[in-house]
Amino acid sequence: MRILITGSQGQVGSLLVSKLSATCEVLALARSELDISARAAVIDTVTHFKPHYIINAAAHTAVDKAEDEVELSFAINRDGPAYLAEAAKQVNAILLHISTDYVFDGKGADIYTESMATGPQGVYGQSKLAGEIAIAEQTDKFIILRTAWVFAETGNNFVKTMLRLGETRDALSVVGDQFGGPTYAGDIADALITIVKSIESGKQPQWGVYHYSGLPHVSWFEFAESIFAKAQEKSILTKVPALSSIPTSAYPTKAKRPGNSRLDCSKITSQFGIKPSDWQLALENISKYK
């Protein structure tokens, strides 16, 4: 089985490579090796390698920078997925693509299902939603995995930021009115691999969009509390900063953050038997996030 992985040096991409390389023929490409916004390069790479699956873990995820880098965001998050989907159809490959909670407006208290109305509030979310639409226009055989609050041992993420700040700060203020499901990147990789295995076993999937994130749902403040509690328990930090919960209004950012990022994962559980990410279990290995 041949699998093409784009964004291979990212949080999810790097874990996909490590998990799949021993059992599959993997072509792992970082952005420096394949710019997915370059259509000719995408078509050429795919038609030569002829993968059975393409897993797109590449994205422009700098949410605040996206407000200024509009063209770049849409090139990577919309055009890139469109070209990958076009190329996948040419070689009869299946495309698996990672999307985001930012496609929703983040308002209200309802947990988001896949069928609920989208309404992105910023360039990042708009470009990611455009990518979802472009994929559906180019191919029929695709799975889009929307996720949220991703963290891993590598890259830039909330867990690593908290641990870094915890070494030097006596006190920290963390937003307490944004809620979501922290999601370990390794669990996202495992979910994508489970989907591939299910399809390979002959099970006909329901193509389209699925939600996958972690439980229990918490605020950023509550997530920070858990991180520091685990860091102290595992002796990663000898002392932890005093935490205070602040509203979003007290921490202005260029891009608007969703107040509600809670995703309903029942569809992916029903279809593939995939349970939500256990982020508390992932924090047991907190020493690896330093």
Side-chain angles (χ1 to χ4, degrees), residues 209-282:
V209 178
Y210 290 84
H211 287 173
Y212 182 75
S213 63
L215 285 177
H217 294 136
V218 289
S219 67
W220 287 114
F221 172 76
E222 291 167 330
F223 190 25
E225 282 187 316
S226 296
I227 293 165
F228 286 123
K230 188 58 63 177
Q232 196 164 36
E233 176 191 322
K234 299 289 186 179
S235 300
I236 302 304
L237 296 175
T238 54
K239 65 180 183 68
V240 298
L243 293 177
S244 58
S245 176
I246 60 172
T248 299
S249 58
Y251 187 72
T253 54
K254 190 149 199 169
K256 186 176 181 181
R257 265 61 173 175
N260 176 18
S261 293
R262 297 178 301 157
L263 302 177
D264 184 328
C265 301
S266 57
K267 179 181 174 183
I268 198 169
T269 301
S270 174
Q271 178 75 13
F272 296 105
I274 297 170
K275 296 180 179 180
S277 174
D278 186 343
W279 60 266
Q280 292 172 316
L281 179 62

Side-chain angles (χ1 to χ4, degrees), residues 37-229:
S37 67
R39 179 180 178 274
V42 170
I43 299 296
D44 182 66
T45 299
V46 173
T47 53
H48 277 81
F49 184 58
K50 291 183 174 58
H52 300 102
Y53 295 86
I54 299 172
I55 304 180
N56 181 34
H60 185 272
T61 58
V63 176
D64 290 318
K65 285 185 178 180
E67 295 299 309
D68 296 318
E69 299 174 344
V70 179
E71 288 188 9
L72 179 62
S73 295
F74 275 87
I76 297 173
N77 294 339
R78 177 196 61 197
D79 301 343
Y83 301 149
L84 288 167
E86 178 187 359
K89 188 171 185 179
Q90 288 185 16
V91 299
N92 197 32
I94 292 166
L95 176 62
L96 280 64
H97 171 76
I98 301 170
S99 192
T100 175
D101 59 296
Y102 275 72
V103 301
F104 297 109
D105 63 17
K107 299 175 182 178
D110 291 337
I111 299 177
Y112 285 107
T113 65
E114 291 83 353
S115 61
M116 291 175 71
T118 53
Q121 299 294 291
V123 172
Y124 171 66
Q126 291 163 2
S127 64
K128 290 294 288 183
L129 179 59
E132 292 185 9
I133 294 169
I135 288 171
E137 289 174 345
Q138 291 291 337
T139 185
D140 298 324
K141 294 181 178 180
F142 68 90
I143 299 287
I144 293 171
L145 205 66
R146 290 178 183 153
T147 190
W149 294 24
V150 180
F151 67 96
E153 298 88 345
T154 59
N156 297 316
N157 58 70
F158 187 76
V159 175
K160 296 186 74 173
T161 298
M162 288 299 101
L163 292 176
R164 186 180 71 250
L165 293 176
E167 292 180 327
T168 58
R169 302 282 186 89
D170 293 323
L172 277 176
S173 297
V174 183
V175 171
D177 59 357
Q178 296 173 17
F179 296 88
T183 314
Y184 174 53
D187 291 337
I188 299 173
D190 286 340
L192 291 165
I193 292 168
T194 296
I195 291 170
V196 169
K197 288 180 177 178
S198 175
I199 296 170
E200 283 297 292
S201 72
K203 182 177 180 180
Q204 178 61 37
Q206 179 183 339
W207 304 113
V209 178
Y210 290 84
H211 287 173
Y212 182 75
S213 63
L215 285 177
H217 294 136
V218 289
S219 67
W220 287 114
F221 172 76
E222 291 167 330
F223 190 25
E225 282 187 316
S226 296
I227 293 165
F228 286 123

